[in-house]
Amino acid sequence: MKKIIIVIISCPIFFSLVCAITIYTSVRNLGAIKIENSTQTSLKIVGKVEMKKSEITENANVIGDFKVFNSTLNDVKTVGFLELDENSKINGDVKVTGKVKVFNSTLNNIKTVGFLDLYENSKINGDIKVDGNLFMSQSRIEKQLNITSENIEIKDNSYVKNIYVIKDKDNSDEVITLDNSTVDGNIEFESKLGKVKLKNGAKVTGTVIGGTVDTI
């Protein structure tokens, strides 16, 4: 029989703490928690979560700030702010309404409404759809990027397979800035109002459809 040991230390000032144990059940809470060196099936919380060197095998559902360091998750749903760092991995689906920051970590499928920032050798291997601005530095998107955005910045030797820009309801101009980076395929603007700016040897190996190209 597997033992279930849950140790929670809490006070009005500091986080609740779940650490240094193996957990075979779910954690549900209202407030703020830290999870360290543990494995659990699921997480559901309204508040703040800081997770280090841990694993969630099924679902993580957070309304608030969710910071993940050197950890592994399956499916993640966040309303608020999601940050991944220190070689974290999400193997399933990510759905975020808010902002996502990724440093040196790997995701599979992701759908966001808000901002997505990728830094320091981060990688998205699966399907991606973004409704909001995108910033990339030293990172890779291995499949087609589907995005609704007026501002897309890809720099510092980043890589994207293809880009399809979905028009927004306002039919605003859409700008993609490529700086020392590669789009290995086509860029297509549904609105026909797109602009691609190429800097420092950036390149598009395919065709730009529905937009203009300006080499700076």
Side-chain angles (χ1 to χ4, degrees), residues 7-200:
V7 178
I8 300 180
I9 305 168
S10 64
C11 72
I13 299 175
F14 298 103
F15 286 91
S16 299
L17 179 64
V18 180
C19 66
I21 52 174
T22 299
I23 302 174
Y24 295 91
T25 185
S26 62
V27 172
R28 297 191 177 196
N29 205 347
L30 178 66
I33 64 170
K34 285 186 177 180
I35 303 170
E36 297 184 9
N37 300 309
S38 70
T39 300
Q40 56 199 53
T41 56
S42 64
L43 170 71
K44 187 173 184 179
I45 183 171
V46 178
K48 295 182 179 181
V49 181
E50 185 175 299
M51 180 176 175
K52 294 182 178 181
K53 297 181 181 179
S54 297
E55 181 179 5
I56 297 175
T57 59
E58 294 183 6
N59 303 311
N61 192 331
V62 177
I63 299 175
D65 292 349
F66 191 11
K67 296 185 177 182
V68 180
F69 304 92
N70 192 20
S71 296
T72 302
L73 303 97
N74 190 30
D75 293 333
V76 175
K77 185 175 181 180
T78 302
V79 178
F81 175 62
L82 173 64
E83 180 180 335
L84 304 174
D85 204 346
E86 297 179 5
N87 198 33
S88 293
K89 295 180 180 180
I90 301 180
N91 297 318
D93 297 333
V94 178
K95 296 180 181 179
V96 178
T97 301
K99 185 169 184 177
V100 182
K101 274 191 172 183
V102 184
F103 301 85
N104 189 33
S105 296
T106 303
L107 297 86
N108 189 26
N109 303 318
I110 180 169
K111 183 176 181 180
T112 71
V113 178
F115 293 88
L116 175 60
D117 295 344
L118 303 173
Y119 301 91
E120 299 173 5
N121 300 310
S122 292
K123 183 186 290 188
I124 297 176
N125 290 321
D127 298 329
I128 173 171
K129 185 174 182 181
V130 179
D131 188 351
N133 290 346
L134 171 71
F135 176 85
M136 292 178 64
S137 174
Q138 297 178 314
S139 297
R140 295 178 66 91
I141 295 176
E142 301 291 350
K143 289 188 175 183
Q144 176 171 293
L145 166 63
N146 300 288
I147 186 168
T148 303
S149 179
E150 298 176 12
N151 186 25
I152 302 164
E153 187 173 357
I154 302 169
K155 61 186 298 185
D156 300 327
N157 198 31
S158 292
Y159 171 95
V160 182
K161 183 62 179 174
N162 294 286
I163 300 176
Y164 183 75
V165 182
I166 304 163
K167 67 179 179 180
D168 63 20
K169 61 182 180 180
D170 298 325
N171 269 346
S172 302
D173 290 347
E174 298 133 349
V175 179
I176 298 175
T177 302
L178 286 176
D179 188 344
N180 187 30
S181 296
T182 300
V183 175
D184 188 15
N186 298 333
I187 297 176
E188 182 174 356
F189 297 91
E190 183 184 18
S191 69
K192 313 301 182 186
L193 299 172
K195 297 177 182 179
V196 178
K197 298 180 180 180
L198 302 179
K199 298 181 178 181
N200 298 317

